[in-house]
Amino acid sequence: MTLLTTATILGAALFTSFVSSIFGMLGGLLLMAALITLMSTGPAMVLHGLIQFASNGYRAFLNRQHIQWHVIVVFLVGAMVALAALAFISFEPDEATVLIALGTLPFIAAGLPKSLSLDISRPYMPIFAGFVVVPVNVLAGIGGPILDVFFQRVTLTRHQIVATKAVIQALAHTTKIIYFGVLIGGAQYWPPGSLLLGALAVTVVGTTLGKPLLDRLADKVFFAWTQQILLGVGFLLVIRGILALE
């Protein structure tokens, strides 16, 4: 691995952890886009999982007093049911279908009336979220955008959203680390120790730098920004899906 590649990875880890620390979203998607262009899929998945686990774990720690544990527990119920169901299902959707479906979901969710909104703070909505997000993450490898939908029109504060989502995402990334770094590729997919340590260090720095900006944001501004980011990502996914049809 060249010095330029290493520097690019570290820069991407710093920037994306900073973005995620403020909005609780987008960073993982941007980081994967960078890693997948610089590395082969297996090593990229392991490094992405490790960086994101550290980023989300540290972000959850910084906002630990705001974590909504009841949401996480109920979410895990739906996730376990989904994982059990996947053991009996053999289904592999094509890339275009997955991308278009993921891209249109934020627009559908935004158009729903408040009474039908996908609010993860509602009593049983985390079960539905776990049942939907886990299969998408396993089958398509892109679980973040659909998870973000469940945290957009909620009765939670910005700190509660960032903290709770960070715990869920950290748990999700452990499955990717185990799958690619243990079951599939083993040691050959793991990054060099120096790169891993450097990436984890800059991730902590980026997350720390973003926290004061999150604290200064008003909830209204936070939701306005995350809504636009979510719709923007959805639009790009739809375009990418349409291009994949050709």
Side-chain angles (χ1 to χ4, degrees):
M1 185 174 295
T2 67
L3 182 60
L4 178 59
T5 299
T6 300
T8 302
I9 291 174
L10 295 179
L14 176 64
F15 175 72
T16 56
S17 62
F18 174 75
V19 172
S20 291
S21 186
I22 302 172
F23 300 111
M25 62 193 303
L26 188 61
L29 190 63
L30 293 175
L31 180 62
M32 177 54 74
L35 293 180
I36 207 69
T37 62
L38 298 170
M39 310 168 66
S40 56
T41 301
M45 287 291 187
V46 173
L47 183 56
H48 183 269
L50 291 167
I51 292 175
Q52 285 296 289
F53 178 80
S55 176
N56 285 285
Y58 186 55
R59 186 160 68 251
F61 173 76
L62 290 179
N63 299 280
R64 57 192 179 278
Q65 67 270 32
H66 301 287
I67 297 173
Q68 302 298 290
W69 289 107
H70 65 282
V71 172
I72 295 168
V73 171
V74 180
F75 177 91
L76 289 176
V77 173
M80 296 304 294
V81 171
L83 287 174
L86 286 174
F88 300 97
I89 298 175
S90 178
F91 174 66
E92 186 174 347
D94 62 89
E95 179 185 10
T97 300
V98 170
L99 291 172
I100 293 174
L102 288 175
T104 54
L105 184 60
F107 294 93
I108 295 173
L112 290 174
K114 181 62 178 177
S115 60
L116 298 176
S117 62
L118 300 177
D119 182 351
I120 201 167
S121 61
R122 292 182 172 181
Y124 297 104
M125 189 60 72
I127 292 181
F128 179 62
F131 192 76
V132 172
V133 171
V134 168
V136 171
N137 193 46
V138 172
L139 295 174
I142 311 175
I146 193 170
L147 177 63
D148 295 331
V149 170
F150 288 91
F151 280 91
Q152 186 58 40
R153 299 174 67 184
V154 297
T155 55
L156 303 176
T157 67
R158 66 189 185 281
H159 286 95
Q160 290 172 334
I161 290 172
V162 170
T164 305
K165 194 191 298 184
V167 175
I168 293 175
Q169 290 174 319
L171 293 173
H173 285 298
T174 60
T175 61
K176 182 162 58 181
I177 296 169
I178 294 171
Y179 183 76
F180 285 97
V182 178
L183 300 178
I184 302 298
Q188 62 178 329
Y189 279 2
W190 284 71
S194 57
L195 174 61
L196 178 57
L197 289 175
L200 296 182
V202 298
T203 293
V204 170
V205 173
T207 303
T208 303
L209 292 175
K211 179 64 164 62
L213 295 181
L214 171 66
D215 293 339
R216 286 197 290 268
L217 275 180
D219 281 347
K220 183 177 180 180
V221 176
F222 174 86
F223 283 112
W225 272 93
T226 54
Q227 176 71 15
Q228 294 306 312
I229 291 172
L230 192 57
L231 294 177
V233 170
F235 176 76
L236 292 177
L237 289 175
V238 170
I239 295 300
R240 183 178 169 187
I242 293 173
L243 294 175
L245 290 171
E246 301 178 355

